[in-house]
């Protein structure tokens, strides 16, 4: 598996030492199946994510993570917004790293075809997220939220 990481918001480096190594570890942990695919991770600011969210989803506001599936061998893109990630981590009483790992895992699962549009889909995806994050030593991100 090849993971390409682009850091557009340098603030990520302040919150997460060994940033690129961390991203690779989390995405590889979340990945199931074909390992010769390419995943692009973009670490951006809220404004950049808001523009993408508006352009592709019709929602003119920033969001924490966006995923865009592509054709093999490029599995897709995971784009994480720094500001929203910080705000949510603080509001939920989580460390930045724990919440960031959750968002990367969530995005990676979307690229693999998982979704949360129905209650059944959401339960399956959330269960996988909890299992994958536990392997990295993180608590259930849905507990107490």
């Amino acid at each position: 598996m090849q993971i390409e990481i682009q850091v557009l918001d340098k603030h990520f480096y302040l919150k997460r030492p060994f940033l690129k190594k961390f991203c690779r570890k989390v995405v590889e942990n979340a990945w199931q199946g074909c390992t010769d695919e390419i995943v692009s991770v973009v670490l951006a600011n809220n404004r950049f994510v808001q523009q993408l969210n508006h352009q592709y989803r019709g929602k003119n506001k920033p969001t924490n993570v966006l995923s865009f599936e592509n054709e093999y061998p490029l599995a897709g893109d995971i784009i994480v917004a720094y500001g929203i990630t910080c705000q949510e981590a603080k509001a939920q009483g989580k460390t930045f790293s724990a919440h960031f790992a959750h968002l990367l895992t969530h995005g990676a699962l979307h690229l693999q075809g998982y979704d949360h549009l129905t209650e059944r889909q959401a339960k399956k995806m959330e269960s996988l997220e909890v299992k994958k994050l536990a392997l990295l030593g993180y608590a259930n991100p849905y507990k107490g939220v």
Side-chain angles (χ1 to χ4, degrees):
M1 158 164 272
Q2 183 178 340
I3 301 168
E4 298 175 354
I5 302 165
Q6 187 176 16
V7 183
L8 302 180
D9 188 332
K10 304 298 183 199
H11 289 97
F12 276 95
Y13 286 114
L14 299 175
K15 288 284 190 177
R16 184 62 226 181
F18 309 106
L19 179 66
K20 291 184 178 184
K21 183 177 180 179
F22 175 81
C23 291
R24 283 185 181 92
K25 180 179 179 182
V26 172
V27 173
E28 286 172 356
N29 179 68
W31 212 258
Q32 304 172 113
C34 185
T35 58
D36 61 344
E37 293 177 296
I38 302 166
V39 174
S40 168
V41 175
V42 179
L43 306 176
N45 60 33
N46 287 2
R47 186 171 176 219
F48 182 84
V49 173
Q50 179 173 344
Q51 290 170 341
L52 292 175
N53 203 23
H54 184 247
Q55 181 178 354
Y56 293 101
R57 297 180 66 225
K59 298 180 180 185
N60 194 15
K61 62 180 184 175
T63 189
N64 52 16
V65 64
L66 291 171
S67 300
F68 297 99
E69 291 182 56
N70 290 303
E71 298 292 321
Y72 176 85
L74 180 60
D77 306 296
I78 302 169
I79 302 102
V80 181
Y82 175 79
I84 296 288
T85 302
C86 287
Q87 291 168 5
E88 289 177 347
K90 185 176 180 182
Q92 296 172 16
K94 300 174 184 174
T95 65
F96 177 84
S97 293
H99 192 51
F100 185 31
H102 180 209
L103 296 177
L104 288 170
T105 300
H106 185 86
L109 290 176
H110 270 304
L111 295 184
Q112 296 172 80
Y114 292 94
D115 216 328
H116 44 83
L117 298 175
T118 67
E119 188 174 329
R120 185 175 179 187
Q121 289 174 332
K123 284 184 179 185
K124 184 174 184 176
M125 188 170 180
E126 288 173 10
S127 174
L128 271 172
E129 289 171 355
V130 170
K131 288 176 187 173
K132 296 293 184 178
L133 290 167
L135 292 171
L136 296 171
Y138 293 110
N140 179 341
Y142 297 104
K143 204 171 205 172
V145 174

